[in-house]
Amino acid sequence: MKSQKGMTTLLITSMLLIVALLFSLASYKNLFYQIKRTQNEVVARQSHWLSEGGLECGFTIISNEQDATADISNCKMMTDYKLDELILSGPNPYLLTSVSSNRKVFKTLEVKGGESSGVVKSSADLYFNGDYRFFPDPGNEVDSNKWECVLLRYLNNIFIHNNSAAGIAGVSGIGSNDLNYHNSPYDDFYSAPTDVHTCQTTALSVTDSYRTPVQTQLQSNFNADIIDESSMDLFKETFGVSSSEWITIRDGGIFTPITVTNPSQCASDIESVLTIDQRYVWVTGNCSIESGTGFNDLKTKTDSVGGAFILVHKGLLSFGGASELNAVVYHFNDGYSPNKTSGNDWSSLSIGTTVLSDSMYVPTEGSVIPTTMKNNVVFYMYGSFVPSGGFILDAEDKVSYFNSSINMSFDGELISELLTPFAKPKWVQGSWNDL
């Protein structure tokens, strides 16, 4: 009996030990699983933050160079990030994707400011008196050496002068010279002297053709290279901020502000402050740049400094002469009107009689009241003056008048260089996620 009781006790004790061992094994297995899970989470978070570091590396390069096309491949070569991929895809806004150990993180960045497609950009109504032939902005390439060219972009109206009705000889109109440049629009645009590029054309519809014929006189005959842009905001696309914040741009350290009191001395006043290190001039007041009034000195100076950005604010702007100026010209008028109770500001300039003549306002189409239109003219160009960087005419509800017959060209390299300081990449809030 005693031996049976001992055996029972031993059996129960053994079973308890086995149960305890099973619980221990189960607990160890669960602990091992938790340890492995914790290790995997640590590795996953490490990969996540390495991918985040890749995004910040790419963004820093783009910000420092102020160029969304900057080479960010060096970030992949940095051993600290251990990146498998770092890809920027566009167009603007751009998606920046970073991958480390199969951990993908992406954010959207948008480059605001520093943009300017087209030879002429205008929120003012445009009036062309004479024959204007554009060497266009190539725009986007849609096929091998075929491009979606851009001549000009406008907000509301384009008027073409009716020479016959006005009783003068010749034909006024605008159109494309195609991509037969005397100078390349961009470096390396032509791969060889015999390289031929053309604006995309089609026989199906003018809306699919990017080459408006020369001497086109009616808006209904404009092709897709002349863009009616109802949402145009020239100040924001150029400087990245609303026009109500213009003081932050003028006084932001890039421009040299000057005030012009004698319009005929404007060219000399601009030339006097231009240097190799200061190529941006903000002019306040009426500005008349013509041959014989400091224009030649201004032309020489802009050439020597590598091009200038000339902005004229709250005043008339007129150009005359027969030369090319190595500059981007921006005319910015907010709240300014030349027509005052004391008279029209054009009356004080030598060209005022021409600008204020009713016979200057006889378009091929559209109903205009000459008295009203001439009192809204804030920009006037005559002769064969051409700025190599084109015109940005930011004067909504006003009129910019071209009275000449010229070829207007596009220097994409100059425009890109001069607008670079205003290109500000920013993360788009709410755009980031990780997979």
Side-chain angles (χ1 to χ4, degrees):
M1 257 337 253
K2 290 182 180 179
S3 62
Q4 289 180 350
K5 288 182 180 179
M7 182 64 70
T8 302
T9 301
L10 182 60
L11 180 61
I12 292 172
T13 301
S14 299
M15 291 179 67
L16 289 173
L17 288 172
I18 291 171
V19 171
L21 179 60
L22 290 173
F23 274 111
S24 297
L25 289 172
S27 176
Y28 174 78
K29 184 177 181 180
N30 183 62
L31 178 62
F32 181 75
Y33 169 76
Q34 292 295 335
I35 291 172
K36 289 292 293 181
R37 181 178 178 181
T38 301
Q39 288 178 334
N40 289 340
E41 287 182 354
V42 169
V43 171
R45 295 313 295 171
Q46 286 177 337
S47 298
H48 171 85
W49 289 113
L50 287 171
S51 296
E52 284 278 0
L55 291 181
E56 293 301 325
C57 177
F59 182 79
T60 299
I61 292 175
I62 292 169
S63 296
N64 288 343
E65 297 191 17
Q66 294 182 313
D67 182 4
T69 63
D71 184 6
I72 58 176
S73 61
N74 285 340
C75 295
K76 290 180 62 178
M77 301 176 188
M78 297 180 183
T79 57
D80 291 342
Y81 293 127
K82 302 177 182 177
L83 296 179
D84 300 318
E85 290 184 81
L86 185 62
I87 302 171
L88 182 69
S89 53
N92 196 22
Y94 300 89
L95 183 67
L96 184 59
T97 304
S98 178
V99 181
S100 177
S101 299
N102 295 320
R103 190 68 172 181
K104 181 186 292 186
V105 177
F106 59 85
K107 289 184 180 180
T108 301
L109 65 90
E110 185 175 23
V111 179
K112 294 186 176 181
E115 300 176 0
S116 186
S117 63
V119 184
V120 174
K121 289 74 65 175
S122 181
S123 61
D125 289 348
L126 295 170
Y127 196 109
F128 290 99
N129 186 341
D131 186 8
Y132 292 83
R133 305 187 179 201
F134 291 81
F135 292 102
D137 175 352
N140 299 316
E141 189 171 19
V142 291
D143 200 352
S144 178
N145 290 5
K146 294 185 182 298
W147 300 81
E148 293 180 341
C149 297
V150 183
L151 297 191
L152 58 86
R153 295 159 46 222
Y154 67 101
L155 179 63
N156 289 318
N157 298 297
I158 294 180
F159 300 98
I160 309 295
H161 197 59
N162 190 333
N163 290 29
S164 177
I168 57 177
V171 176
S172 292
I174 59 177
S176 175
N177 267 331
D178 208 346
L179 295 175
N180 302 312
Y181 280 92
H182 59 289
N183 293 317
S184 175
Y186 292 104
D187 291 346
D188 303 322
F189 184 75
Y190 298 109
S191 58
T194 57
D195 196 18
V196 177
H197 292 255
T198 61
C199 298
Q200 175 74 14
T201 59
T202 175
L204 298 177
S205 169
V206 295
T207 59
D208 297 322
S209 179
Y210 292 85
R211 191 169 69 205
T212 296
V214 296
Q215 295 188 336
T216 295
Q217 296 183 297
L218 303 176
Q219 288 193 40
S220 57
N221 292 331
F222 291 166
N223 287 4
D225 53 350
I226 299 177
I227 304 172
D228 182 355
E229 194 171 309
S230 59
S231 59
M232 176 179 284
D233 188 340
L234 289 174
F235 200 90
K236 191 167 187 176
E237 82 171 43
T238 305
F239 301 113
V241 300
S242 169
S243 59
S244 62
E245 301 178 61
W246 61 266
I247 292 178
T248 64
I249 301 300
R250 186 195 65 182
D251 300 339
I254 296 175
F255 281 98
T256 297
I258 64 172
T259 299
V260 173
T261 56
N262 182 351
S264 64
Q265 293 299 313
C266 187
S268 298
D269 291 343
I270 295 171
E271 185 273 333
S272 68
V273 298
L274 281 177
T275 67
I276 192 69
D277 298 317
Q278 181 46 268
R279 301 187 294 156
Y280 299 80
V281 182
W282 187 295
V283 179
T284 301
N286 296 332
C287 180
S288 179
I289 299 176
E290 303 174 0
S291 297
T293 56
F295 178 84
N296 291 336
D297 291 338
L298 177 60
K299 173 178 168 51
T300 300
K301 179 65 75 71
T302 57
D303 288 339
S304 68
V305 302
F309 190 117
I310 300 171
L311 186 149
V312 176
H313 185 211
K314 290 187 179 296
L316 302 176
L317 175 59
S318 67
F319 285 100
S323 185
E324 184 173 295
L325 186 66
N326 193 22
V328 170
V329 175
Y330 193 116
H331 191 209
F332 174 46
N333 270 326
D334 59 330
Y336 167 80
S337 175
N339 192 41
K340 302 177 174 62
T341 55
S342 58
N344 194 297
D345 286 354
W346 287 109
S347 300
S348 62
L349 301 178
S350 60
I351 56 176
T353 301
T354 302
V355 174
L356 298 177
S357 171
D358 287 357
S359 63
M360 296 287 286
Y361 306 94
V362 186
T364 54
E365 63 179 347
S367 177
V368 303
I369 302 173
T371 302
T372 302
M373 180 169 275
K374 70 185 181 183
N375 284 329
N376 281 319
V377 174
V378 292
F379 170 92
Y380 182 79
M381 190 193 83
Y382 66 98
S384 54
F385 167 83
V386 179
S388 55
F391 288 108
I392 307 174
L393 305 171
D394 193 359
E396 192 170 347
D397 299 323
K398 301 304 179 187
V399 178
S400 293
Y401 198 109
F402 292 81
N403 186 18
S404 184
S405 290
I406 58 172
N407 291 325
M408 300 190 74
S409 61
F410 177 83
D411 186 341
E413 291 294 334
L414 177 65
I415 295 171
S416 179
E417 180 195 355
L418 289 174
L419 296 188
T420 292
F422 309 112
K424 300 177 179 64
K426 295 181 180 179
W427 292 125
V428 176
Q429 188 174 3
S431 68
W432 47 87
N433 195 3
D434 54 280
L435 302 176

